Amino acid sequence: MRDETARRLSRLHAVLYRMTGGLVGRRLVGNDMLLLTTRGRRTGKIHTVPLLYLFDDDTPVVIASWGGRPSHPHWYQNLQADPRAIVQVRSERRLVRARTAEPAERDAWWPRVLAAYHKYRTYEANTDRIIPVVFLERETPRPDAVDDWRAAAG
């Protein structure tokens, strides 16, 4: 799929998910989906993408595969510049801080990732980069930061 088509479908998915509180768009390829909202590393603009996720207790875990492309997805690059984000799981929104799994932690998680979605094996074979596993840990920021992010994320 071409990148522009993927971006348009991603935007539509995010709009439908947000409008319905996750009733539409919460499942894709047999897995649960969330919305991740980041701040652009260059523009400072807010960007939202739907992503497949797993859970580690109450912490969503997402995979920065971008279909096995040679570079990391933009949302992951944004999180590297500013790890603060908003996650929407169904109708619940929460502020999070992204943390990339350490090598041993990633190795322990990778079999779970492959079990959740078999195409990650193909993505991994198509790239020379290590595909990051990212934990979206709940954050309790200053009250004004919550308002700023909520306003920006809609």
Side-chain angles (χ1 to χ4, degrees), residues 32 53-61 89 94 109 112:
D32 290 329
Y53 73 98
L54 304 170
F55 262 127
D56 181 26
D57 293 323
D58 189 40
T59 300
V61 179
V89 175
R94 67 171 79 161
W109 264 85
R112 287 180 66 183

Side-chain angles (χ1 to χ4, degrees), residues 4-146:
E4 186 55 36
T5 301
R7 277 193 274 282
R8 286 182 179 156
L9 289 172
S10 179
R11 280 192 291 260
L12 176 62
H13 187 156
V15 167
L16 293 171
Y17 190 110
R18 186 167 285 138
M19 282 177 36
T20 65
L23 292 175
V24 175
R26 75 176 181 87
R27 300 273 302 163
L28 188 66
V29 295
N31 286 281
D32 290 329
M33 303 292 289
L34 59 71
L35 297 182
L36 176 67
T37 300
T38 62
R39 188 176 303 279
R41 67 192 179 286
R42 293 188 193 137
T43 65
K45 292 181 180 178
I46 298 299
H47 300 277
T48 300
V49 294
L51 297 172
L52 179 154
Y53 73 98
L54 304 170
F55 262 127
D56 181 26
D57 293 323
D58 189 40
T59 300
V61 179
V62 293
I63 315 306
S65 65
W66 205 19
R69 288 174 178 81
S71 61
H72 294 307
H74 294 119
W75 63 262
Y76 181 71
Q77 294 176 42
N78 292 343
L79 290 174
Q80 289 180 303
D82 181 357
R84 298 171 302 154
I86 294 177
V87 165
Q88 181 174 339
V89 175
R90 297 193 184 175
S91 61
E92 179 198 349
R93 286 189 188 169
R94 67 171 79 161
L95 293 158
V96 296
R97 180 168 292 273
R99 179 181 66 79
T100 301
E102 297 295 328
E105 190 178 27
R106 184 201 178 274
D107 289 347
W109 264 85
W110 198 246
R112 287 180 66 183
V113 169
L114 295 177
Y117 185 52
H118 69 279
K119 287 204 174 188
Y120 284 130
R121 189 176 313 280
T122 303
Y123 301 162
E124 184 178 37
N126 288 342
T127 188
D128 292 329
R129 67 185 173 88
I130 302 295
I131 296 174
V133 173
V134 182
F135 294 84
L136 302 173
E137 299 171 336
R138 188 181 293 268
E139 168 131 315
T140 309
R142 305 178 331 268
D144 59 328
V146 173

